[in-house]
Every structure is written in C-alpha cells, then in structure tokens.
Amino acid sequence: MDEEPSSYERVAYKNDSVYHYMKICLIFGNERKPLSAEQFKQLIISGLKELYGEVGAAFPFDVLTFDQFVLSAILRVYNNGLVKLWSALTLIGSCENESCAFRVTQVSSSVSKLILVLKSTGTSCRSL
Amino acid sequence: MVRIKYRYLLCEVCVSERSGLQMLAERPIYDALRAALGKAHGAHGAALLSVGSSVTYVNAYTGVVLLRFRKAHYRLLWSALPFVTSIWSRGQKVPCFFNCVHIGGTIRTCQKFLVRYSRQQLCRMLPHCKTEAEKQEVRRAVLSCSLNKFREEEEDNDFGEDGEETEA
C-alpha cells in the first residue's frame, strides 16, 4: 500500500535581507517632552556620536515611522550597523536634561514580521 | 607559548619648525592621540586606546615615534592618526602630523626597518645639498653605514621573524 505523502512541508528561510528593523520607544523619567521626528533622530545621532565618535555617527539608518503621542518609532538599519545602533540606544540616558531611556520592543530582519506583531498586540500603526 | 600580540606603528612626527621636536615626550603624544580618538571614534575608541596601548619610544632629535597597540584593534586606532594635528607640550602647542612609515609585529622588526629607511633617506638627501661641505658630510654618513652593516643584517635575517607586516 502506498504511503500518503506527508502533509507538512519543510520551508527553509534564508535571511538575505540587508536591513534590520527595530521597533523602539522612548520613555521619560518625569516629565514627557514633545518631540518631533527630527529631534528624535537627532537624539539618537547624538548618542551615537558620544559613543562612537564622528565616524560612528556617520553610518546610515532611517526612522521609518514615528508616533509623536506614544514616542515609538521603527528604525531601519544595515545589518553591520545594528550592534552599534543598539548599544548607542542603550547608553542614551538624557534628552535636554531630562532623564529618558529607549526600550527596544522588537528587532526583525523583515518589516512584515514587525507589522504582524504590531497588529496582534493592537499597537497603532497608522503611518505604515 | 601563548602571548598577547601587539602591532608597533613606526611613525615620523612632521613639524614645521625643527625646534618643535624638542618638545616631544611620551605623555603629550599619548594625550594628543587620545583626544583625536575621542573625537573620531568616541568613548569606544578612547576605551580601546586605554587597553594595552602605549608610546614605546620617542626620539626628540629625529622625530621618530613608536606606538604600541593591541593587534585586535590597531586598525581602528591607526585610522585616527591623521586627525592628530597638534601636540600640547609644556603649555605650548606644537602643530604637527604623524606619518606612519611602518607597521611591525615586534620592536625588533621596526628597528631593522628604521635602519634601512634612514639609510635610504641619506641617499635622498644627497641631491638636495647646496654647499660642498654638506655634500661631504652626507657622503661620509652614507659610507659609514656600508658593507659591514649589511653583512650584520643578513646574518640577523637568519633568525626567525615574528609577524612582520609591511604596509607603508
């Protein structure tokens, strides 16, 4: 008797994306400051500059979306800059003399996975 | 045997006025290097410099400086060398720049290179001499480092060399 072909299929996913996507949000210690997208990016760049100098602050990354109300953003960065960006984000401790911290919610190599999780957790992703 | 590997950078300090060379010392050079690294590579770069790096040798007459870095990250430290534009020494600012002429794995290989390099420099100096006395002086210097020294060096070469790397 012939055996039925198995119902499952093995899918090997090879990551050949050159980017990584990070979902981050900014938390203030006491008073929340209104920030524009430009100021937000400038804050990250200043953190990079402090830790990795002018050479480190020159590597490319993008702020894809930025939500002013919950201060969360999605960053796109080249794979080789991920560790640098992440470590700089960790060490950012203040914004205009106000203590703050970055929380990295999720890191993924494809933006579609990021959106899936966003939808499932009910976070707003209007700008996407 | 296991040991920590280093890279030695043999550099020339180029100054506009020769009197500036007398001001060279290990500490001011190290401080200038750390300031340049802090600017170019931030806290990360300055931290890498503080691990195992030192100014091994300074010659205040010829302006030759030997810098020692850990092999693991000497390229990053090397990349900050062009950003050193002045050295603060004894309250004075000496404008200068570093010209890296050789990178070696040991002080010994750097020393050998320096002897060879200085000998070539003598030959290059000869056409630039203006007076006869200067010419005589340079010729005498060239002759003084002739055959005998060559033979000594060839004998030296028979010993095992350790991690030499010529990138100048």
Side-chain angles (χ1 to χ4, degrees), chain A residues 18-126:
Chain A
V18 291
Y19 296 113
H20 260 82
Y21 299 87
M22 298 177 84
K23 177 160 170 53
I24 58 172
C25 69
L26 181 61
I27 297 168
F28 279 103
N30 304 315
E31 189 190 346
R32 242 185 71 170
K33 292 212 171 203
L35 277 179
S36 68
E38 292 81 11
Q39 285 171 315
F40 185 77
K41 187 166 182 183
Q42 184 55 40
L43 175 65
I44 298 174
I45 289 177
S46 69
L48 272 169
K49 198 168 182 176
E50 204 175 309
L51 185 58
Y52 291 108
E54 287 176 7
V55 178
F59 85 85
F61 75 94
D62 305 301
V63 180
L64 294 187
T65 67
F66 176 65
D67 194 327
Q68 281 187 335
F69 303 103
V70 288
L71 291 175
S72 71
I74 294 179
L75 307 182
R76 183 179 72 170
V77 63
Y78 283 107
N79 290 338
N80 56 10
L82 178 71
V83 174
K84 274 189 179 181
L85 182 65
W86 201 333
S87 51
L89 282 177
T90 308
L91 289 175
I92 292 172
S94 66
C95 165
E96 293 167 8
N97 299 324
E98 192 69 47
S99 63
C100 69
F102 275 100
R103 297 267 182 265
V104 179
T105 319
Q106 198 193 358
V107 179
S108 166
S109 58
S110 77
V111 79
S112 57
K113 284 187 203 164
L114 217 57
I115 295 167
L116 277 177
V117 175
L118 284 179
K119 277 184 179 162
S120 65
T121 54
T123 319
S124 69
C125 51
R126 279 161 298 174

Side-chain angles (χ1 to χ4, degrees), chain B residues 23-156:
Chain B
M23 312 290 286
L24 287 185
E26 289 173 12
R27 194 74 213 170
I29 291 174
Y30 186 83
D31 289 344
L33 207 57
R34 198 174 51 190
L37 262 165
K39 200 161 185 292
H41 294 289
H44 179 241
L48 288 183
L49 183 75
S50 66
V51 184
S53 304
S54 61
V55 180
T56 312
Y57 170 76
V58 177
N59 191 329
Y61 297 100
T62 55
V64 170
V65 174
L66 199 59
L67 307 172
R68 187 181 80 166
F69 298 139
R70 283 267 175 94
K71 189 192 163 195
H73 43 246
Y74 84 97
R75 279 170 194 279
L76 190 118
L77 303 174
W78 185 17
S79 70
L81 268 189
F83 297 106
V84 180
T85 52
S86 62
I87 293 173
W88 279 94
S89 179
R90 293 175 213 155
Q92 275 185 306
K93 189 183 176 188
V94 184
C96 66
F97 64 90
F98 278 79
N99 184 14
C100 184
V101 289
H102 183 77
I103 293 171
T106 53
I107 298 181
R108 193 185 147 85
T109 56
C110 287
Q111 208 174 5
K112 274 193 203 167
F113 176 85
L114 185 60
V115 172
R116 204 167 60 227
Y117 178 75
S118 307
R119 199 182 290 145
Q120 284 173 355
Q121 291 297 93
L122 277 177
C123 299
R124 277 180 211 152
M125 273 162 71
L126 199 57
H128 293 290
C129 291
K130 291 196 177 67
T131 62
E132 197 59 34
E134 276 181 0
K135 264 187 190 172
Q136 288 297 331
E137 185 65 26
V138 174
R139 277 203 191 110
R140 199 187 54 73
V142 171
L143 284 176
S144 74
C145 56
S146 57
L147 271 161
N148 289 339
K149 300 275 168 93
F150 270 116
R151 276 188 198 135
E152 272 173 29
E153 197 177 74
E154 273 163 21
E155 279 164 21
D156 276 352

